[in-house]
Amino acid sequence: MYIDPCPDPSPCAEIYMDYNATTPLEPEVIQAITEALQDAWGNPSSNYIAGAKAKAMINQSRESVGSMVGGRAEDIIFTSGGTEVFFFVTIVMNATVQGEGHHNGSIACLPHIITSNVEHDSVKLVAEHLQKNGKAGRKHSCKVVTARVEVEDIIAAVRPNTCLISVMLANNETGVIMPLQEICQRVKSLNKQGERLRILLHTDAAQALGKIRVDACELGVDYLTIVGHKFYAPRIGALYVNGPGTKTLLYPMLFGGGQERNFRPGTENTPMIAGLGKAAELVTANLSDYESHMRSIKLYLEERLKAVFKDKICFNSHYPGSDILPNTCNVSILGSGLQGWRVLSNCERLLASVGAACHSVNGHRPSHILLSCGVPTQVAANALRLSVGRGTTKADVDAVVDDLRETVQLLEEAH
């Protein structure tokens, strides 16, 4: 059962539409965390009852998270969150080229990484850091033209020293779903062609999980990022690896007590892992209902926006030929003085954002994601990212659209 993050039913109650930034915990998740805190407080490496309970909870959660992404329990490594996952993967990348993995003796050069220019900063900035500090060769960021990375552009960017391709499964601002399965199929064909470095495939699935079906095996990825707080779980994450250390290379990011099969040592955070596992169970059991509800509410939101603002509305998440997340609506209300930050700061009820929460420190500059997708600067400056959740209702939508209408009217009169 879902808990509304803004439960106040009064006419002036705030309405949350920023579920791509973070989500509240489901009641069942809170219960799982509470039970772990009370009953499984022991060290999971200990043999007494509290430790054994903790170990059992962790094992069950690993099964649940693996099942959610179409993998096995042994494919899951628990992490502090999504940000550390890509750094985890780059350790493999460097070891590969340096000869600790699939080394081709004729290639004595720095590793080459391919990403898109709309990746989350946890991928983008790590790749840039590796290049700047001489740990990787020139990073190739494939440009998106219609918000969707093109398969042929990825393949054309491959070099003899390419060892890692990282493309997000769904964009956090536009909601556009990337053609991951086709990319993986083409790359696996390249990997079969003679002696060359094996190209490893990583995807950041943070925004897709809990909204659309995600099956790592069907996609064909080697690594997949899991972020709990995007699907009503606590702020903890996991790395999916297709056969860690056997079928797919994985090296320790830290050294310590041997937890997580030595790949990610440190005494496990049992309560948060239990919460992640419970949230994964809910996704596996209810995804069809979640997706259907969010899609219905988002479509109603777009209809109401078009009805109220007519030709003053521009949807930045509509691209012919591209599939979109069922909950994400990126929209600009056109007009001078209607910048997204200005509109949101004057709204009485709407809680939303102009883009990724991690970019809020950049001030009022238009989203580089939208600009990269070809959205004109003035339109991008007016963008609002509205993302609905499992508990968002049509009444919420009506209230939000009314709030936006009144706010825009006030700003236009004052301009």
Side-chain angles (χ1 to χ4, degrees):
M1 182 178 175
Y2 168 79
I3 287 183
D4 191 333
C6 306
D8 186 352
S10 68
C12 296
E14 293 174 325
I15 297 172
Y16 186 72
M17 282 196 182
D18 205 15
Y19 289 89
N20 282 8
T22 197
T23 59
L25 299 182
E26 289 277 15
E28 295 94 330
V29 172
I30 295 172
Q31 182 179 353
I33 293 170
T34 302
E35 289 176 359
L37 287 167
Q38 293 175 336
D39 303 329
W41 49 267
N43 190 314
S45 298
S46 301
N47 293 324
Y48 42 75
I49 292 176
K53 283 186 176 180
K55 192 68 173 179
M57 281 188 175
I58 291 170
N59 289 340
Q60 179 57 54
S61 293
R62 203 183 306 278
E63 289 276 358
S64 299
V65 174
S67 178
M68 177 181 67
V69 297
R72 305 163 300 169
E74 54 263 39
D75 296 330
I76 302 300
I77 310 293
F78 292 118
T79 66
S80 65
T83 295
E84 77 176 61
V85 168
F86 186 67
F87 188 77
F88 215 146
V89 173
T90 61
I91 296 172
V92 176
M93 174 197 72
N94 280 293
T96 299
V97 172
Q98 292 169 12
E100 296 176 31
H102 294 260
H103 178 63
N104 182 333
S106 65
I107 299 175
C109 53
L110 292 171
H112 178 245
I113 308 170
I114 300 173
T115 67
S116 78
N117 64 341
V118 294
E119 296 299 312
H120 188 273
D121 277 354
S122 62
V123 171
K124 175 178 176 286
L125 296 182
V126 171
E128 290 176 355
H129 171 79
L130 291 170
Q131 180 181 343
K132 180 179 178 181
N133 288 274
K135 301 295 184 182
R138 183 174 179 273
K139 171 182 70 76
H140 189 100
S141 292
C142 288
K143 295 181 179 180
V144 299
V145 179
T146 57
R148 181 179 185 265
V149 68
E150 296 299 327
V151 178
E152 294 302 329
D153 290 344
I154 295 287
I155 300 305
V158 171
R159 302 289 180 265
N161 58 324
T162 301
C163 59
L164 178 63
I165 295 174
S166 181
V167 176
M168 61 184 7
L169 184 50
N171 187 263
N172 50 311
E173 294 193 24
T174 64
V176 169
I177 299 170
M178 304 299 177
L180 250 296
Q181 188 172 23
E182 189 177 349
I183 291 171
C184 291
Q185 289 171 349
R186 295 287 298 275
V187 170
K188 287 183 184 298
S189 295
L190 290 178
N191 282 338
K192 294 177 182 178
Q193 295 177 8
E195 293 187 4
R196 60 155 296 125
L197 288 169
R198 174 185 172 186
I199 302 173
L200 297 166
L201 295 150
H202 166 260
T203 190
D204 175 0
Q207 288 297 340
L209 290 166
K211 299 167 188 167
I212 59 173
R213 182 171 175 269
V214 176
D215 189 309
C217 293
E218 283 187 11
L219 289 172
V221 294
D222 299 300
Y223 310 100
L224 182 144
T225 297
I226 298 165
V227 180
H229 74 100
K230 305 295 187 182
F231 58 94
Y232 297 74
R235 291 187 173 92
I236 188 174
L239 166 64
Y240 160 88
V241 187
N242 183 16
T246 54
K247 188 174 181 180
T248 303
L249 291 171
L250 190 67
Y251 296 94
M253 183 172 69
L254 304 167
F255 296 93
Q259 294 88 351
E260 294 302 292
R261 289 156 287 165
N262 284 311
F263 292 123
R264 211 283 186 181
T267 303
E268 301 93 335
N269 189 347
T270 306
M272 297 303 104
I273 290 173
L276 185 70
K278 177 55 69 174
E281 288 179 20
L282 293 173
V283 168
T284 300
N286 303 300
L287 179 61
S288 178
D289 291 339
Y290 294 159
E291 183 177 0
S292 176
H293 172 76
M294 288 186 287
R295 191 179 305 281
S296 172
I297 295 298
K298 184 190 75 169
L299 290 174
Y300 181 70
L301 171 63
E302 292 181 344
E303 290 171 3
R304 292 285 291 118
L305 288 169
K306 284 187 286 188
V308 169
F309 294 103
K310 300 181 171 41
D311 58 353
K312 290 176 60 177
I313 207 83
C314 178
F315 291 103
N316 305 314
S317 49
H318 290 184
Y319 295 92
S322 293
D323 292 325
I324 310 294
L325 289 175
N327 80 316
T328 306
C329 171
N330 194 303
V331 62
S332 295
I333 302 171
L334 306 179
S336 179
L338 298 180
Q339 295 90 344
W341 66 268
R342 193 184 301 277
V343 170
L344 290 176
S345 63
N346 283 276
C347 280
E348 293 288 335
R349 303 187 65 184
L350 173 61
L351 300 178
S353 64
V354 297
C358 57
H359 294 157
S360 60
V361 295
N362 295 334
H364 301 319
R365 287 178 289 176
S367 162
H368 79 273
I369 299 292
L370 295 184
L371 296 176
S372 296
C373 296
V375 177
T377 302
Q378 288 184 327
V379 177
N382 287 21
L384 306 170
R385 183 187 68 177
L386 306 178
S387 47
V388 303
R390 299 173 186 174
T392 309
T393 65
K394 288 186 175 181
D396 291 332
V397 169
D398 290 337
V400 161
V401 173
D402 285 344
D403 193 16
L404 285 170
R405 176 181 52 78
E406 292 169 5
T407 300
V408 168
Q409 184 177 344
L410 286 172
L411 290 174
E412 288 179 331
E413 291 173 353
H415 187 69

